[in-house]
Amino acid sequence: MSYLKETVAESGIDKHIRYGQKVVGADWSDADNRWTVRVERDGEEVEINTSFLFACNGYYNYDEGYTPEFAGSDDFEGTIIHPQQWPEELDYEGKKIVVIGSGATAVTLIPRLPSRARAT
């Protein structure tokens, strides 16, 4: 995370990132040659107009994360948790953990899990 923050700051990208906002729609206008992007920010919807829109959101869904089908998961006797629905009260101290996911999953979960999980 330190490397990411440093790289973003060095390249000046940090001045253009809008945190804490959720894009709810984007419309292109041929007449104006511009995008109108609707975002939720602090509980209200606002519009941002821009001539350039770069979307790299992949399969991400805020409300329900993508869960692929895993053969045998119905027979698994342990706990299966999607990172987006991670319960705050989950006790994983001393347990073996397998993390399956994208790079974002690795960046957010793996650095914190070993402090309470058992290394194998």
Side-chain angles (χ1 to χ4, degrees), residues 15-94:
K15 296 175 186 72
H16 304 283
I17 297 176
R18 297 172 184 248
Y19 295 99
Q21 299 182 45
K22 177 181 176 182
V23 175
V24 294
D27 298 300
W28 173 255
S29 168
D30 284 331
D32 298 327
N33 205 27
R34 296 185 69 73
W35 286 97
T36 299
V37 182
R38 295 180 314 284
V39 299
E40 281 182 12
R41 178 175 55 204
D42 298 326
E44 92 178 70
E45 190 172 300
V46 296
E47 290 185 350
I48 301 168
N49 293 294
T50 183
S51 59
F52 180 78
L53 177 63
F54 185 74
C56 51
N57 55 333
Y59 59 80
Y60 193 80
N61 179 329
Y62 286 97
D63 301 320
E64 183 179 322
Y66 172 73
T67 303
E69 206 171 298
F70 291 106
S73 63
D74 291 338
D75 301 324
F76 181 66
E77 293 180 8
T79 304
I80 298 176
I81 300 167
H82 194 284
Q84 282 180 245
Q85 284 82 41
W86 190 279
E88 290 291 326
E89 69 281 353
L90 178 68
D91 180 15
Y92 58 91
E93 188 166 342

